[in-house]
Amino acid sequence: MLYVAPFLCLYVILLVYPLFGGFWLSLHKADLFGGRRFVGFENFVRLSNDQVFLGAVGNTFYFILLTVPALAIIGLGLALALNRQTRTAAVLRGVFFSSSVLSVTIVTLLWKVVYAPEGGFVANLLEVFGRPPIPFLSSAELALPAIAITTIWWCIGLPMMLFLAALQQVPRELYEAAALDNAGRWKTLWNVTLPSIRRTFALVLIIEVVLQFQLFGQAYLMTQGGPNNASRPMVLFLFEVGFTRWDVGYAVAAGQILFGFIAIAAFAQYLVARRKEAF
Amino acid sequence: MTTQLASGAVGRGFGDRLILAATIALAIVMVIPMLWAVGLSLKTNQELLVDTQSVLKAPWTLINYYDILIGSGVFRWLLNSIIVSTGMSLGVLVLSSLAGYGFARLEFPGRNVIFVLVLFGLAIPEQAVILVRHQLFSDLDLHNTYAGLMLPGMSAPFGVFLMTQYFKAIPTEIDEAAMLDNASRFKIFWRVLLPMTLPAQATLGIFTFLHAWNDYWWPMVSGTNQQMYTLTVGIASTQQNFAESAGLGYLMAQAVFASLPVLIVYMFFQKYIVRAVSGAAT
C-alpha cells in the first residue's frame, strides 16, 4: 500500500476530485471569483439551445469525418508501401513520422505560412499558374478542411506505425500459401493482408476518433474558430467560455458532454482491444 | 510454371517501383512545409515583405538566427521546457514504478478494486478536469511554478497501468529466490526487479517527455508569466502578433530553432520514440 500511496494521492487530488468537482460545478452558475449559485440542469438546457455550442458539436463531428478516414486509409497505404527491409523504406518511414514529434504551435506556424494568401507557399504556386490566391483560413467553407489537412499532415505517423506493427504480425505461412495458389498482388492484399489486420483497423479508427475529438490547438492558433464560428470545435468552445469569459459552470457542463462522447469511444476501444484474446 | 513466376516477378518489380515513386512524391509533399519555413528563415524580413518567392534565390542570410541569439525569450523557454519535461518524466517514472510494483506484487485490502478505479482514469480526458484543476491550483498558489506545470502530468494513470503489466510479467520465482537470500522487500524491488523493467521505463520516459514537451493547453493557462512559458507556449505567443512586429523571417527562424532539439533527438532515438508513441496508443 505504501508503494501505491504516492501515486494514489496525486490521482485522487488532480484527477478524481476535479472530475467529480466538475460534475458538481456543472450544476452551478459559477464565475472566476468563487461566486456560485445552484441552478440544477440549467447549464445543460442552455447548452442545448446555444447555437454556438451546437455549431461546435457539428464542427467537431465534421472534422472527425474529414480526418479519421483519411488518416486510416493514408496510414494503411503508407504502411503497405513501406513494409520492407530496405534503407529507402526506413528513411521514408522516418520522414512520415517526423511531423508527429513537433508541437502543435510549430505545426500551425508552418502551415500558416503555407496557407497565407499573401506570400504563402500555395499562393506562390497558384501565382506560377496565373491563379489568384485562395484565402483558406478566412473562408467559412475552407477553414475546417484546411485545418483537417494540417492535422492529417501532423498525425499521419501514428496510424502508419500501428499498421506497420500489425503487418509484421501477419503469419508468413499465409503469404506462402497465397503464393502457392498463384494469387496476385491485389488478391493477396484482399484475401490475406486486410482480413489479418481487421482488428488494428478498428483500433486505429477509434484511437483517431478520440484524438481528433480533442481538436483544440490547430483551430485556436490558425482561425480562432472563425470565420463566423465555422471552425470552432467543442474543446475551443469550452476553452473560450471557461478561460476567457470565465463562465466556469457553463464551460464545465460543456466539458461533461465532451467527456460523455469520449467515454463512449474509450469503451469501444476497450471492447476491441479485449477481443485480442478471441483471435 | 517458371515463366509464370518470372513474369510475375517482373510485374511485381514494376509495380513496386511505381509505388515507391508515389511514396517518395508524397514524402516530398510532407517535407515542403518544413523546407518552406527554413527557406523563409534565411531571408531578411524586409525582403519577404516584398516577395516571398525570393526564397529560391540568393542571397540568404543568418541574420534572423543571430537576432534570436542576442535577444529573445527562446532560451528561457527552452530551459523551462527542459526542466518541466525532465521533472515530469522522472516523477512519472518513480510514481509509476512504485505503484506498478505495489499493484503487481503486494497484497493489500481493496487492491483489485483500486486498480480498476485507476484504469477508469485512462478514459478521462484533460478537458473534463482542466477547469476545476485550474481553480484548485489557484487556491494552492501553484500557478507560474514548475511544480504547477509538472504535477498534472504525474496524475495520469497510463504509466501505472504500463508498469503494473510489466511487473506482472516477471516470474515470481525471481522474488522468491531473492527472498531466500534474506533481501528486504525494498531491496528486491530496487536491486532485482526494477533493472528488469528498463525497456518499459524507456518507453514510458520518452512518451512522457515528448508529451510534456509538446503540451500546450495546461502550460498556457497555468504558466501565464512570460518567464514561465514553455517553448510550446512561447512559440504560440509569437503567433498572436503574426507578421506585425517580429517579421516573417524572424518568426520562422524561431520556429526552426524551437523544432531543432526535438528533431535532433528524434533522429538519434527514432526507434525508441516510435515504439513509445505507438505503444502508448494501444
Side-chain angles (χ1 to χ4, degrees):
Chain A
M1 190 73 192
L2 216 63
Y3 287 81
V4 182
F7 170 76
L8 275 187
C9 287
L10 271 186
Y11 180 70
V12 169
I13 297 171
L14 295 180
L15 208 65
V16 177
Y17 161 70
L19 184 70
F20 286 95
F23 290 150
W24 184 236
L25 196 61
S26 67
L27 305 176
H28 291 73
K29 171 101 188 131
D31 59 36
L32 173 64
F33 310 105
R36 58 181 63 176
R37 181 166 55 83
F38 188 81
V39 293
F41 289 97
E42 199 185 288
N43 283 323
F44 292 94
V45 175
R46 221 177 112 200
L47 279 174
S48 68
N49 293 317
D50 187 334
Q51 288 309 314
V52 179
F53 177 72
L54 296 178
V57 176
N59 287 337
T60 306
F61 280 99
Y62 179 42
F63 180 76
I64 287 176
L65 216 61
L66 287 173
T67 50
V68 174
L71 281 166
I73 289 167
I74 299 172
L76 178 60
L78 288 175
L80 289 169
L82 298 175
N83 183 29
R84 58 194 71 209
Q85 301 282 347
T86 63
R87 242 192 111 68
T88 323
V91 171
L92 287 172
R93 284 197 297 266
V95 169
F96 285 109
F97 195 82
S98 61
S99 59
S100 302
V101 300
L102 298 175
S103 69
V104 65
T105 56
I106 301 280
V107 170
T108 52
L109 201 50
L110 295 184
W111 278 86
K112 270 175 162 174
V113 294
V114 169
Y115 286 142
E118 279 166 45
F121 181 81
V122 180
N124 276 318
L125 210 60
L126 289 168
E127 198 189 315
V128 172
F129 294 102
R131 298 289 174 100
I134 303 171
F136 291 98
L137 297 176
S138 48
S139 140
E141 288 81 37
L142 294 178
L144 210 51
I147 294 175
I149 290 175
T150 301
T151 305
I152 294 168
W153 179 86
W154 184 30
C155 299
I156 192 62
L158 180 62
M160 176 184 74
M161 287 302 170
L162 293 177
F163 281 126
L164 275 167
L167 289 175
Q168 306 276 321
Q169 303 289 321
V170 180
R172 284 208 82 80
E173 299 86 62
L174 289 180
Y175 287 115
E176 283 157 13
L180 281 180
D181 286 348
N182 263 327
R185 178 192 292 268
W186 285 107
K187 230 172 164 178
T188 312
L189 179 68
W190 275 111
N191 296 335
V192 179
T193 313
L194 292 184
S196 310
I197 58 169
R198 251 192 344 228
R199 199 184 68 90
T200 304
F201 201 85
L203 214 54
V204 167
L205 286 180
I206 297 168
I207 290 170
E208 287 300 333
V209 166
V210 172
L211 283 178
Q212 304 312 336
F213 218 100
Q214 306 183 36
L215 164 68
F216 167 62
Q218 301 97 298
Y220 179 55
L221 290 165
M222 290 173 84
T223 63
Q224 277 90 43
N228 199 13
N229 301 326
S231 62
R232 174 174 291 102
M234 277 173 87
V235 181
L236 182 56
F237 175 87
L238 189 163
F239 170 79
E240 287 171 341
V241 172
F243 286 102
T244 59
R245 281 167 32 201
W246 296 107
D247 194 346
V248 179
Y250 193 45
V252 173
Q256 304 302 327
I257 293 179
L258 186 87
F259 175 42
F261 282 125
I262 289 181
I264 293 170
F267 185 65
Q269 180 178 0
Y270 167 74
L271 287 182
V272 175
R274 212 184 46 165
R275 274 179 59 189
K276 190 183 267 178
E277 287 89 43
F279 274 78
Chain B
M1 180 72 191
T2 38
T3 46
Q4 241 180 357
L5 263 183
S7 73
V10 171
R12 190 148 275 211
F14 178 71
D16 266 353
R17 249 173 267 162
L18 203 69
I19 290 172
L20 188 67
T23 318
I24 290 176
L26 208 58
I28 293 171
V29 174
M30 190 79 194
V31 293
I32 278 179
M34 302 185 196
L35 293 181
W36 180 242
V38 173
L40 291 173
S41 74
L42 297 174
K43 284 282 169 181
T44 63
N45 296 319
Q46 293 80 352
E47 205 176 342
L48 292 176
L49 276 179
V50 183
D51 178 17
T52 49
Q53 279 180 19
S54 64
V55 163
L56 299 172
K57 302 183 283 268
W60 292 284
T61 165
L62 287 173
I63 182 82
N64 293 315
Y65 290 92
Y66 177 73
D67 285 345
I68 290 177
L69 290 179
I70 55 166
S72 152
V74 167
F75 284 102
R76 174 75 202 205
W77 303 338
L78 186 68
L79 180 73
N80 289 341
S81 276
I82 292 172
I83 293 174
V84 171
S85 304
T86 311
M88 193 195 286
S89 306
L90 289 177
V92 165
L93 287 179
V94 171
L95 291 171
S96 304
S97 301
L98 286 171
Y101 174 74
F103 281 125
R105 281 293 198 267
L106 305 179
E107 293 287 341
F108 54 89
R111 183 187 70 174
N112 292 336
V113 176
I114 296 175
F115 186 63
V116 169
L117 289 178
V118 170
L119 286 193
F120 272 123
L122 288 170
I124 303 174
E126 184 188 26
Q127 297 86 353
V129 295
I130 194 164
L131 279 149
V132 179
R133 197 185 267 169
H134 186 266
Q135 291 195 326
L136 180 69
F137 276 57
S138 300
D139 295 341
L140 297 173
D141 236 351
L142 279 172
H143 287 308
N144 286 309
T145 65
Y146 287 121
L149 292 172
M150 288 181 217
L151 281 171
M154 295 187 205
S155 69
F158 168 69
V160 175
F161 172 66
L162 185 79
M163 293 315 297
T164 305
Q165 299 299 90
Y166 216 85
F167 275 114
K168 272 189 179 159
I170 301 174
T172 44
E173 283 83 15
I174 291 178
D175 305 40
E176 284 153 16
M179 213 102 70
L180 288 179
D181 291 341
N182 272 329
S184 71
R185 195 179 279 286
F186 184 77
K187 205 167 171 190
I188 296 174
F189 163 71
W190 183 249
R191 302 289 282 279
V192 182
L193 294 181
L194 206 57
M196 300 180 76
T197 64
L198 271 181
Q201 307 276 357
T203 298
L204 182 58
I206 291 170
F207 176 74
T208 309
F209 190 92
L210 203 60
H211 181 80
W213 190 272
N214 288 339
D215 195 16
Y216 177 44
W217 192 349
W218 178 256
M220 169 174 63
V221 295
S222 181
T224 46
N225 180 339
Q226 201 158 1
Q227 289 296 305
M228 291 303 291
Y229 281 180
T230 59
L231 201 51
T232 302
V233 176
I235 293 297
S237 75
T238 64
Q239 293 182 45
Q240 311 295 1
N241 48 12
F242 196 63
E244 281 167 25
S245 51
L248 189 55
Y250 182 79
L251 274 179
M252 289 301 117
Q254 215 169 36
V256 172
F257 184 81
S259 345
L260 275 183
V262 61
L263 281 179
I264 289 171
V265 171
Y266 170 66
M267 271 201 263
F268 284 104
F269 297 101
Q270 190 182 332
K271 210 169 77 187
Y272 299 94
I273 291 178
V274 166
R275 195 184 296 157
V277 172
S278 24
T282 48

